[in-house]
Short mmCIF file of all heavy atoms in Angstrom, two decimals:
data_model
loop_
_atom_site.label_atom_id
_atom_site.label_comp_id
_atom_site.label_asym_id
_atom_site.label_seq_id
_atom_site.Cartn_x
_atom_site.Cartn_y
_atom_site.Cartn_z
N ARG A 29 1.30 -11.28 -8.48
CA ARG A 29 2.33 -11.19 -9.52
C ARG A 29 2.64 -9.74 -9.86
O ARG A 29 3.80 -9.34 -9.97
CB ARG A 29 1.87 -11.95 -10.77
CG ARG A 29 2.94 -12.00 -11.88
CD ARG A 29 2.39 -12.53 -13.19
NE ARG A 29 1.45 -11.63 -13.84
CZ ARG A 29 1.83 -10.51 -14.51
NH1 ARG A 29 3.10 -10.16 -14.59
NH2 ARG A 29 0.92 -9.75 -15.06
N LEU A 30 1.59 -8.93 -10.01
CA LEU A 30 1.80 -7.52 -10.35
C LEU A 30 2.50 -6.76 -9.22
O LEU A 30 3.39 -5.96 -9.47
CB LEU A 30 0.46 -6.85 -10.68
CG LEU A 30 -0.14 -7.23 -12.03
CD1 LEU A 30 -1.54 -6.65 -12.17
CD2 LEU A 30 0.75 -6.76 -13.17
N VAL A 31 2.09 -7.02 -7.98
CA VAL A 31 2.73 -6.35 -6.85
C VAL A 31 4.23 -6.68 -6.84
O VAL A 31 5.07 -5.78 -6.72
CB VAL A 31 2.07 -6.75 -5.51
CG1 VAL A 31 2.90 -6.29 -4.33
CG2 VAL A 31 0.65 -6.19 -5.43
N LYS A 32 4.57 -7.95 -6.97
CA LYS A 32 5.98 -8.35 -6.97
C LYS A 32 6.74 -7.73 -8.15
O LYS A 32 7.86 -7.26 -8.00
CB LYS A 32 6.10 -9.88 -7.02
CG LYS A 32 5.73 -10.53 -5.71
CD LYS A 32 5.85 -12.03 -5.80
CE LYS A 32 5.45 -12.70 -4.50
NZ LYS A 32 5.53 -14.15 -4.57
N LYS A 33 6.10 -7.71 -9.31
CA LYS A 33 6.73 -7.14 -10.51
C LYS A 33 7.05 -5.66 -10.30
O LYS A 33 8.16 -5.20 -10.58
CB LYS A 33 5.80 -7.32 -11.71
CG LYS A 33 6.27 -6.64 -12.97
CD LYS A 33 5.23 -6.77 -14.08
CE LYS A 33 5.60 -5.93 -15.28
NZ LYS A 33 4.56 -5.99 -16.32
N TYR A 34 6.07 -4.91 -9.82
CA TYR A 34 6.28 -3.48 -9.63
C TYR A 34 7.27 -3.18 -8.52
O TYR A 34 8.08 -2.27 -8.63
CB TYR A 34 4.95 -2.76 -9.37
CG TYR A 34 4.00 -2.83 -10.55
CD1 TYR A 34 2.63 -2.88 -10.35
CD2 TYR A 34 4.46 -2.84 -11.86
CE1 TYR A 34 1.75 -2.93 -11.42
CE2 TYR A 34 3.59 -2.91 -12.93
CZ TYR A 34 2.23 -2.94 -12.71
OH TYR A 34 1.36 -3.00 -13.76
N ASN A 35 7.22 -3.96 -7.44
CA ASN A 35 8.18 -3.75 -6.36
C ASN A 35 9.61 -4.00 -6.85
O ASN A 35 10.53 -3.26 -6.52
CB ASN A 35 7.86 -4.65 -5.16
CG ASN A 35 6.62 -4.21 -4.42
OD1 ASN A 35 6.14 -3.09 -4.57
ND2 ASN A 35 6.08 -5.11 -3.61
N LYS A 36 9.78 -5.04 -7.65
CA LYS A 36 11.11 -5.35 -8.20
C LYS A 36 11.56 -4.26 -9.18
O LYS A 36 12.70 -3.82 -9.14
CB LYS A 36 11.08 -6.72 -8.89
CG LYS A 36 12.43 -7.14 -9.43
CD LYS A 36 12.37 -8.51 -10.05
CE LYS A 36 13.74 -8.89 -10.59
NZ LYS A 36 13.74 -10.21 -11.22
N LYS A 37 10.64 -3.84 -10.04
CA LYS A 37 10.97 -2.84 -11.06
C LYS A 37 11.40 -1.51 -10.44
O LYS A 37 12.33 -0.87 -10.93
CB LYS A 37 9.76 -2.62 -11.97
CG LYS A 37 10.03 -1.71 -13.14
CD LYS A 37 8.85 -1.68 -14.09
CE LYS A 37 9.17 -0.87 -15.32
NZ LYS A 37 8.09 -0.93 -16.30
N THR A 38 10.75 -1.11 -9.35
CA THR A 38 11.07 0.18 -8.74
C THR A 38 12.14 0.08 -7.66
O THR A 38 12.67 1.11 -7.23
CB THR A 38 9.81 0.83 -8.12
OG1 THR A 38 9.32 0.00 -7.07
CG2 THR A 38 8.74 1.05 -9.18
N GLY A 39 12.43 -1.13 -7.20
CA GLY A 39 13.40 -1.29 -6.12
C GLY A 39 12.92 -0.68 -4.81
O GLY A 39 13.71 -0.22 -4.00
N ALA A 40 11.62 -0.71 -4.63
CA ALA A 40 11.01 -0.06 -3.47
C ALA A 40 11.43 -0.67 -2.14
O ALA A 40 11.62 -1.88 -2.03
CB ALA A 40 9.49 -0.14 -3.60
N ILE A 105 -1.62 -0.04 -6.26
CA ILE A 105 -0.97 -1.36 -6.18
C ILE A 105 0.52 -1.27 -5.89
O ILE A 105 1.09 -2.18 -5.32
CB ILE A 105 -1.26 -2.17 -7.46
CG1 ILE A 105 -0.95 -3.64 -7.29
CG2 ILE A 105 -0.53 -1.59 -8.64
CD1 ILE A 105 -1.44 -4.51 -8.42
N GLY A 106 1.17 -0.14 -6.24
CA GLY A 106 2.57 0.01 -5.87
C GLY A 106 3.50 0.63 -6.89
O GLY A 106 4.57 1.11 -6.53
N TYR A 107 3.14 0.64 -8.17
CA TYR A 107 4.09 1.13 -9.17
C TYR A 107 4.34 2.64 -9.04
O TYR A 107 5.49 3.09 -8.97
CB TYR A 107 3.62 0.80 -10.59
CG TYR A 107 4.60 1.28 -11.63
CD1 TYR A 107 5.85 0.65 -11.75
CD2 TYR A 107 4.33 2.36 -12.44
CE1 TYR A 107 6.78 1.10 -12.67
CE2 TYR A 107 5.25 2.80 -13.37
CZ TYR A 107 6.48 2.18 -13.48
OH TYR A 107 7.40 2.62 -14.38
N GLY A 110 6.29 3.42 -5.96
CA GLY A 110 7.70 3.08 -6.12
C GLY A 110 8.47 4.14 -6.89
O GLY A 110 9.59 4.50 -6.54
#
Side-chain angles (χ1 to χ4, degrees):
R29 184 190 70 76
L30 287 173
V31 168
K32 287 180 181 179
K33 173 184 172 183
Y34 296 147
N35 289 343
K36 183 178 180 181
K37 186 173 185 175
T38 63
I105 195 170
Y107 181 70

